[in-house]
Amino acid sequence: MRVVVADDVMLTREGIVRLLKEAGIEVVAEAEDADGLLRHVRLSVPDAAIVDIRMPPTHTDEGLVAAQRIRAEHPEVGVLVLSQYVEPSYAMRLLQEHPERVGYLLKDRVFDVAILVDALRRLADGETVIDPTIVSRLVGRRRREDPLEELTEREREVLGLVAEGLSNKAIAARLFVTERTVEAHVKQIFLKLRLDTNPESHRRVLAVLAYLRAGAGAD
Amino acid sequence: MAITVSYAIASIVAVPRSAEPLTTYAGVSTAAYAADLAAGLGLLAAGLLAWVEPRTRRLGLLALLAGIAWFGPDWEGWDGGTAFVRSLGPIVTPFFLALLFHLVLALPVGRLRSWPTRGSVIAAYGVAAFVSFGRALFRDPFLDPYCWRNCLYNSFLVHTDPGLARTLDDVWVRSSIVIGLLLVVMGALRLLRASGPARRVLLPTLVPGLLAGAGASAYAVALLRTPLEDPRSGRFSSIFLALSLSVAALALGLAWGVLETRRTRAAVSRLASELGEAPPPGTLRDALAAAMGDPALEVAYWLPGAQRFVDGRGHRTESPVPGHGRTVTPIVRDGRPVALVVHDAALLEGQALEREIGSAARLAVENERLQAEVLAQLDDLRASRSRIVETGDAERRRLERDLHDGAQQRLLALSYDLRLARAAAEAAGDREHATLLASGGDEAQAALGELRELAHGIYPAILAEAGLAPALATHADEAPLPVELDEVPPERYSTPVETAAYLTVTEAIADAVGREATFVSVDVVREDAQLVIEIRDDGAAGTSALLHIADRVGALGGSLEVEPQSLRVEIPCE
């Protein structure tokens, strides 16, 4: 697998590059800012780009903007956005236009090589990757009347995995059940929560995140 | 006054009502008679009215003289008059046009404003005097083939010279055309150049003045074409009617102007009583503008301490300068100027305003100046408060950035290194070091977590990066109690506004938690130029003072309403 890494802080960029090399992933280029990143992606068309969300010049959401451009210009290149803060708003913005082959992970999670490599694989498979911290925070959000209480234990588990961006197949493998069972669970969940998005589409991740965020009572 | 009244009565007697013999226009018809009297008596009355008023004394004098001159032809044609009186008539007659010319150009107060007008007025008097006295000395009416008013008497005749008399007649007719046309052109220019309020004042006098000028010209042109004047002919009689009516209208306009000035003066001196006990800031300006009929009027107060001018609301204004028809009048109280009034020069001259403004109104002006001073100081204070808050926020934001780009990145790099070292130790079968490195990695992770919390506490990066709506949503996600956050306006506001709004919500949530609420509802809406935040909860009564929110909101000119279980904050957001 070939990746491009973009982060303006040399120290962390080097760290990620070394971790990737250790895991046998080829780093074809490194960039310090969004322009450099876009250039390298155009030149070497990697399998994925790993992008820090804060980059020059304003150190706000350059990474996010660059990620959206890459997704628009190179649909085959996956983008994994790294952030130091857990921000569901950013994750949702990332999913808004191109809901597949994008990921949003907390920066200190990727020190676990296995997680990093797994995320890159999932992007390559066309899945979405949302940091579990975001999902658990949204699922655990306090609500006055919690519609999630209508879900069974297993359904709640499946809901969390859907929100993390896993496909039915991946969820089935994770829970040691058949894909059909997962499909049935997902259908049931969407029915109970009255979500009108197609439960099998790529849009389902965003729909679930938005639902969880809106809190109780919202449609 | 007695002289004027007796002259008026004498004129009424002199103006003949019968048509036989026809020696004046008044004899042609009742309408001509009425118009003749209306014009002359009107001028006399308006002149008297204006003369009594110190401000328009010169104008009044001009009108009086014009009224006297207007009756010149009637004296000349007075069938029952003595030779002396009938000889006086033609002497005063030519001065009417010169006086009319002077009067109209000297509106509205009787002063000529420029050298060209002054020059032309002097020239008009000169020609009138030359013709008048020349004819008195050398014209024998008996030898004048065109005479009709008085063909017998000239008490002042020293030498008979019919040729010279004819030339003088001709000079006067041609001069009259020029003076009449000049009056029309110069008057029209005046009217076009005048400002709004000035035009309002000039219109009722200037327009009839122009018409009278046109009438005088038309009369002269008719004479040029038909030297033998026939008052009964349609042309001459209609010109006379038009001229008389214009002059009568001019007299009416003059009287209206004088009364209007009197009303303005009265309104200005009454000003204080209309202001009431505690007028809101800026009332004085409005009252003065209304009293003087000048909506563009401005009042500037001088603040000696701050060395600058402010308006009634305490906002800084430019130092007032006269120009473009505007006058600056200082209002003095106890020998000190307290305010400058910028107003239209045509309405009430500066000194008149300063004279008329009553002592009670002067006190009101001083009051409003003090109020403006306090308001200006409040403005300064608010600006300085918001500067302090902004400086603090900028410092916090910088700290957060330093942490993010410095310590956090180093800790991240350290944890990546520890992870690699651990993997290497595991590969080498060194379990002791692998365990040690694993625990070092966990420590680094924990430190990273705490540092992140700290940085977020110092300044929520999401607020600066993505704005109020995402920052509040994130805060609601993490709150220890249910937070119902309705749709927050997604647009961006200035940093102080966003920060104040964010802190209002987070502090209120913390306060609700402290009062053991089971939920908080937060409503953020934009109402015109205000960002309105309403927060409700079901906690125990007694919301704490939320002092530093009040400080922040106050620094932005906003307001805060605290009730036992709710909070309403309004922040101006441009």
Side-chain angles (χ1 to χ4, degrees):
Chain A
M1 189 181 272
R2 304 161 68 246
V3 299
V4 171
V5 177
D7 191 329
D8 62 311
V9 182
M10 208 250 290
L11 223 54
T12 30
R13 194 175 65 236
E14 300 266 284
I16 293 167
V17 169
R18 268 186 290 156
L19 284 172
L20 288 169
K21 281 182 178 158
E22 188 74 12
I25 289 170
E26 187 191 347
V27 177
V28 289
E30 296 175 30
E32 290 181 359
D33 53 30
D35 288 345
L37 167 68
L38 291 169
R39 204 168 46 240
H40 286 305
V41 168
R42 270 178 214 134
L43 278 176
S44 48
V45 194
D47 296 309
I50 298 176
V51 183
D52 180 21
I53 198 164
R54 270 191 184 183
M55 279 194 293
T58 66
H59 295 273
T60 56
D61 59 356
E62 278 82 0
L64 214 54
V65 175
Q68 278 161 334
R69 270 193 73 180
I70 293 173
R71 291 296 304 132
E73 290 173 15
H74 307 276
E76 69 285 4
V77 180
V79 185
L80 183 60
V81 175
L82 300 183
S83 167
Q84 238 168 137
Y85 296 112
V86 183
E87 282 306 343
S89 310
Y90 287 156
M92 287 160 74
R93 222 174 105 189
L94 195 60
L95 292 177
Q96 208 88 54
E97 274 164 44
H98 307 281
E100 70 272 35
R101 283 183 209 272
V102 287
Y104 180 89
L105 283 183
L106 206 53
K107 228 172 185 178
D108 43 353
R109 184 174 299 279
V110 302
F111 93 108
D112 193 334
V113 186
I115 290 179
L116 184 57
V117 172
D118 178 58
L120 290 173
R121 289 262 150 71
R122 281 169 58 194
L123 292 187
D125 288 346
E127 283 184 22
T128 308
V129 177
I130 298 299
D131 197 290
T133 320
I134 291 183
V135 174
S136 68
R137 186 172 292 179
L138 293 185
V139 169
R141 195 179 192 277
R142 306 298 176 108
R143 294 170 174 87
R144 273 173 94 184
E145 284 156 40
D146 198 345
L148 299 191
E149 273 172 16
E150 282 186 38
L151 304 184
T152 64
E153 192 77 17
R154 181 39 70 95
E155 280 168 352
R156 230 176 292 171
E157 205 172 354
V158 172
L159 177 70
L161 293 174
V162 168
E164 283 181 34
L166 268 69
S167 64
N168 285 356
K169 198 175 152 193
I171 295 172
R174 187 80 69 92
L175 300 180
F176 305 109
V177 293
T178 66
E179 210 177 322
R180 284 182 155 254
T181 315
V182 174
E183 257 170 49
H185 279 313
V186 171
K187 216 169 252 170
Q188 194 60 25
I189 294 166
F190 272 57
L191 209 63
K192 281 184 178 173
L193 301 184
R194 274 177 252 137
L195 281 165
D196 54 5
T197 312
N198 176 3
E200 303 305 323
S201 75
H202 281 294
R203 291 251 154 234
R204 72 179 191 178
V205 183
L206 185 60
V208 168
L209 289 177
Y211 177 84
L212 291 174
R213 197 152 217 227
D219 291 318
Chain B
M1 184 177 298
I3 296 170
T4 312
V5 172
S6 37
Y7 182 81
I9 292 167
S11 303
I12 295 169
V13 173
V15 174
R17 240 172 297 183
S18 72
E20 269 327 308
L22 185 67
T23 51
T24 72
Y25 274 97
V28 173
S29 66
T30 322
Y33 173 75
D36 187 32
L37 276 185
L41 295 180
L43 275 179
L44 291 175
L48 210 57
L49 200 63
W51 191 71
V52 173
E53 205 67 41
R55 180 170 167 266
T56 46
R57 177 150 296 183
R58 288 153 151 273
L59 207 62
L61 193 64
L62 286 174
L64 276 175
L65 292 174
I68 290 170
W70 172 262
F71 284 120
D74 294 309
W75 292 116
E76 187 183 1
W78 186 20
D79 201 30
T82 63
F84 181 71
V85 170
R86 296 190 73 174
S87 309
L88 266 181
I91 295 184
V92 296
T93 303
F95 287 100
F96 172 75
L97 187 56
L99 285 162
L100 177 75
F101 189 51
H102 186 176
L103 176 69
V104 173
L105 293 185
L107 288 170
V109 289
R111 214 165 293 148
L112 294 171
R113 279 154 200 270
S114 66
W115 281 110
T117 51
R118 235 166 275 175
S120 19
V121 166
I122 290 169
Y125 280 123
V127 175
F130 177 71
V131 170
S132 162
F133 299 132
R135 283 204 295 218
L137 299 177
F138 304 111
R139 176 175 170 272
D140 185 345
F142 192 67
L143 298 176
D144 184 348
Y146 304 122
C147 97
W148 63 283
R149 283 192 178 94
N150 158 26
C151 297
L152 295 172
Y153 314 109
N154 182 359
S155 309
F156 307 105
L157 189 70
V158 291
H159 173 74
T160 304
D161 186 339
L164 179 61
R166 193 64 224 133
T167 310
L168 286 172
D169 281 348
D170 202 45
V171 165
W172 180 238
V173 166
R174 286 168 201 279
S175 305
S176 298
I177 297 175
V178 175
I179 295 171
L181 289 179
L182 258 182
L183 176 56
V184 172
V185 171
M186 290 168 92
L189 280 178
R190 261 304 281 294
L191 204 57
L192 288 178
R193 287 194 193 133
S195 67
R199 191 175 296 166
R200 194 174 61 83
V201 168
L202 285 175
L203 217 56
T205 41
L206 210 48
V207 170
L210 298 188
L211 292 176
S217 272
Y219 175 58
V221 170
L223 267 184
L224 198 64
R225 289 171 58 185
T226 322
L228 184 57
E229 192 174 350
D230 176 8
R232 283 200 181 86
S233 80
R235 192 197 300 156
F236 279 107
S237 68
S238 48
I239 288 175
F240 176 77
L241 259 180
L243 179 63
S244 315
L245 290 178
S246 305
V247 172
L250 170 68
L252 261 179
L254 270 177
W256 177 84
V258 172
L259 295 176
E260 183 64 14
T261 307
R262 239 184 236 178
R263 192 201 60 78
T264 302
R265 272 181 25 189
V268 168
S269 58
R270 253 196 341 266
L271 205 58
S273 60
E274 280 163 16
L275 287 176
E277 290 263 309
T283 312
L284 186 78
R285 188 215 79 87
D286 299 346
L288 205 54
M292 293 186 58
D294 180 3
L297 177 138
E298 289 165 59
V299 180
Y301 299 97
W302 173 245
L303 305 186
Q307 292 287 305
R308 64 171 201 239
F309 285 101
V310 294
D311 65 11
R313 288 170 182 81
H315 301 315
R316 179 189 282 270
T317 56
E318 292 299 313
S319 135
V321 277
H324 299 288
R326 319 281 303 161
T327 307
V328 176
T329 305
I331 307 273
V332 180
R333 183 166 185 270
D334 296 338
R336 275 183 314 121
V338 285
L340 295 181
V341 181
V342 187
H343 59 98
D344 199 289
L347 293 171
L348 198 56
E349 272 162 304
Q351 292 133 347
L353 169 69
E354 160 61 18
R355 220 174 20 240
E356 295 304 332
I357 194 160
S359 58
R362 245 169 256 266
L363 186 64
V365 173
E366 172 75 23
N367 260 347
E368 182 149 297
R369 190 192 72 80
L370 288 173
Q371 202 177 352
E373 188 162 20
V374 170
L375 287 173
Q377 283 167 353
L378 261 177
D379 260 4
D380 288 350
L381 200 65
R382 188 175 299 140
S384 119
R385 257 212 307 192
S386 82
R387 268 200 304 279
I388 291 171
V389 169
E390 271 173 53
T391 314
D393 286 347
E395 194 56 24
R396 280 162 162 261
R397 174 106 180 85
R398 195 185 59 74
L399 259 174
E400 186 275 339
R401 241 187 217 171
D402 285 354
L403 276 180
H404 178 276
D405 295 345
Q408 278 177 299
Q409 300 293 341
R410 282 182 187 282
L411 266 176
L412 265 177
L414 176 66
S415 35
Y416 295 155
D417 283 346
L418 285 171
R419 179 70 200 179
L420 285 173
R422 181 180 143 202
E426 272 167 0
D430 186 349
R431 294 193 59 188
E432 195 183 329
H433 279 105
T435 316
L436 211 56
L437 287 167
S439 101
D442 291 346
E443 286 299 316
Q445 285 287 299
L448 210 51
E450 281 176 24
L451 202 55
R452 187 165 37 232
E453 291 295 309
L454 178 67
H456 185 78
I458 290 174
Y459 194 92
I462 180 87
L463 181 60
E465 290 172 11
L468 189 59
L472 287 182
T474 297
H475 193 80
D477 289 341
E478 297 164 5
L481 81 176
V483 174
E484 284 173 5
L485 186 64
D486 274 335
E487 200 107 324
V488 177
E491 64 258 31
R492 298 298 306 258
Y493 304 100
S494 70
T495 309
V497 171
E498 285 185 340
T499 312
Y502 179 81
L503 289 177
T504 300
V505 175
T506 55
E507 296 277 331
I509 290 175
D511 179 62
V513 171
R515 289 182 291 106
E516 288 168 359
T518 65
F519 84 98
V520 176
S521 90
V522 177
D523 214 353
V524 183
V525 287
R526 166 124 196 210
E527 284 176 12
D528 299 327
Q530 303 269 327
L531 197 61
V532 180
I533 306 165
E534 281 183 314
I535 300 163
R536 284 182 305 110
D537 62 58
D538 62 347
T543 301
S544 61
L546 300 167
L547 246 169
H548 50 289
I549 295 183
D551 257 3
R552 257 180 198 278
V553 171
L556 296 171
S559 67
L560 181 87
E561 271 172 56
V562 183
E563 306 221 343
Q565 291 182 322
S566 70
L567 180 70
R568 182 186 162 93
V569 172
E570 292 184 5
I571 306 170
C573 55
E574 279 97 54

